[in-house]
Amino acid sequence: MADEALFLLMHNEMVAGLYRAAEQGEGENGRCTTKLESMGFRVGQGLIERFTKDTARFKDELDIMKFICKDFWTAVFKKQIDNLRTNHQGIYVLQDNKFRLLTQMSAGKQYLEHAPKYLAFTCGLIRGGLSNLGIKSIVTAEVSSMPACK
Amino acid sequence: MSRPPGRKQEYHKISRELFVLTYGALVAQLCKDYEKDEDVNTCLDRMGYGIGVRLIDDFLARSSVKKCRSYSETADVIAQVAFKMYLGVTPSVSCSSAAGNEFSLILDKNPLVDFVEELPAERASLCYCNLLCGVIRGALEMVHLAAEVTFLQDRLKGDAVTEIGITFLRKAEDRKHKRN
């Protein structure tokens, strides 16, 4: 989809641009990730509002997570989450085996140390979406082998 | 799972909204980081350039446009094919110089500002869509056409339409630099 290419490229530029600015300025990696995450948060809030305008009310937390895995993920990344696990006590693990933002980067362990930068925005996206649906959350990401991530 | 009809349309819309919202968040973050408008504009232009040099590959792969033989053809392709493909709008093209190397793309509807009402007072000289200029400049450079791209009119600043001016700087080197 043409839109996807545009978003992918812009996302990569954003990450690169922010880190480049940080290198020239005060140079603190943590702040860049925070900035990206907060950008994702804002976008997630807006996006989920527009997306759930006409959908029915969610029954419970699990319902919301399923919505995120299926509809939301499909709308944003054109595919569903491959695996959703939970311990029924508030912790959910979403696994995507071919994360769109990482497929172009590598298919294995190369560049693994750079992967977290590219996941910060998406973490914020999920956190923003959940926050507007009434759930306070902490979202973290883990990449063990590109392009799969949790 | 039964889906309501028209879901695909919705996804398409969401995709575009994601891009527009992300762009807005990006500009907001840049405004927070840089105090001067010119710095924000430069940053957006540079990012756009980086996107443009990669986007041109994607564009040429998706569309089957033939080699453009003149600047006006190039401007037409940008307006009618590229803009349509990526932003869903078709600006109108007009040539604004006798020499035939200055063109304007006039956008009635700019999807990037869908969620923007107005620029804040202290950011009066911010070129909100400067990314577009960078993208066009980067893409043209990758096909060996040097150009200067700027905003001539901006709806956000009170003008009637949004107008992007493209000025081609050198003659198109199509004979010498044949792609192999």
Side-chain angles (χ1 to χ4, degrees):
Chain A
M1 207 43 286
D3 299 333
E4 211 189 305
L6 203 50
F7 174 69
L8 229 83
L9 286 172
M10 189 171 84
H11 177 260
N12 292 350
E13 274 302 317
M14 255 162 43
V15 176
L18 275 176
Y19 275 85
R20 196 174 29 217
E23 264 168 53
Q24 290 166 358
E26 313 97 54
E28 237 196 70
N29 263 353
R31 286 181 66 199
C32 290
T33 320
T34 317
K35 282 185 200 172
L36 280 168
E37 218 254 352
S38 56
M39 278 165 69
F41 186 77
R42 287 174 69 152
V43 178
Q45 283 184 316
L47 211 58
I48 205 87
E49 256 175 27
R50 305 186 70 75
F51 200 25
T52 54
K53 234 179 354 175
D54 300 316
T55 49
R57 212 181 157 85
F58 294 110
K59 291 195 290 278
D60 58 10
E61 223 175 68
L62 188 60
D63 213 25
I64 296 184
M65 291 312 298
K66 283 200 216 161
F67 173 78
I68 299 255
C69 293
K70 291 206 184 110
D71 299 311
F72 188 68
W73 215 254
T74 315
V76 176
F77 297 111
K78 307 291 180 306
K79 66 183 283 288
Q80 293 187 5
I81 284 276
D82 297 305
N83 199 348
L84 170 68
R85 290 203 296 269
T86 175
N87 67 353
H88 293 289
Q89 279 165 16
I91 300 194
Y92 297 86
V93 181
L94 285 70
Q95 185 166 336
D96 189 335
N97 290 333
K98 253 188 111 180
F99 190 52
R100 270 272 143 70
L101 300 178
L102 293 178
T103 37
Q104 311 282 349
M105 253 196 267
S106 85
K109 305 267 183 200
Q110 202 186 19
Y111 299 124
L112 204 59
E113 62 277 6
H114 296 291
K117 295 184 209 167
Y118 292 88
L119 291 169
F121 183 81
T122 312
C123 288
L125 203 68
I126 301 175
R127 191 166 69 90
L130 288 174
S131 135
N132 254 15
L133 288 172
I135 302 183
K136 270 205 186 137
S137 58
I138 300 177
V139 184
T140 55
E142 184 191 307
V143 185
S144 46
S145 165
M146 307 250 236
C149 67
K150 293 196 192 151
Chain B
M1 181 173 132
S2 66
R3 290 236 174 98
R7 207 64 169 166
K8 264 238 148 112
Q9 275 264 356
E10 228 180 274
Y11 290 161
H12 191 76
K13 202 168 64 116
I14 292 287
S15 209
R16 187 138 301 144
E17 283 180 356
L18 172 67
F19 180 70
V20 175
L21 284 170
T22 309
Y23 186 67
L26 172 68
V27 177
Q29 184 64 47
L30 286 175
C31 286
K32 254 194 260 175
D33 287 342
Y34 298 107
E35 277 182 22
K36 296 210 274 193
D37 292 344
E38 295 80 42
D39 289 337
V40 180
N41 289 343
T42 318
C43 199
L44 282 173
D45 189 69
R46 199 174 34 195
M47 280 195 188
Y49 182 79
I51 295 178
V53 303
R54 294 173 181 92
L55 199 67
I56 185 75
D57 278 337
D58 186 78
F59 173 66
L60 290 173
R62 279 181 213 273
S63 68
S64 45
V65 286
K66 303 265 185 344
K67 205 168 152 80
C68 292
R69 306 227 160 270
S70 67
Y71 289 143
S72 77
E73 220 178 300
T74 315
D76 281 333
V77 165
I78 295 178
Q80 283 153 19
V81 190
F83 264 82
K84 182 88 206 285
M85 194 187 278
Y86 291 111
L87 293 175
V89 290
T90 315
S92 52
V93 187
S94 71
C95 181
S96 50
S97 88
N101 65 339
E102 274 177 34
F103 295 88
S104 334
L105 300 175
I106 301 177
L107 284 151
D108 282 330
K109 196 167 109 47
N110 186 354
L112 286 181
V113 306
D114 264 349
F115 300 119
V116 181
E117 276 176 21
E118 55 174 20
L119 291 176
E122 62 272 12
R123 292 279 172 190
S125 59
L126 178 69
C127 284
Y128 186 79
C129 302
N130 221 24
L131 195 93
L132 285 180
C133 292
V135 172
I136 298 176
R137 189 168 62 91
L140 284 174
E141 198 167 302
M142 284 294 119
V143 287
H144 306 295
L145 288 172
E148 253 174 41
V149 189
T150 49
F151 269 91
L152 299 172
Q153 287 189 72
D154 196 348
R155 223 197 207 127
L156 283 180
K157 296 189 187 157
D159 299 314
V161 290
T162 307
E163 190 179 339
I164 303 178
I166 307 179
T167 310
F168 292 97
L169 297 175
R170 277 197 323 261
K171 216 168 149 41
E173 296 163 41
D174 50 340
R175 303 281 174 236
K176 293 185 213 159
H177 293 260
K178 238 193 163 149
R179 284 230 210 113
N180 41 345

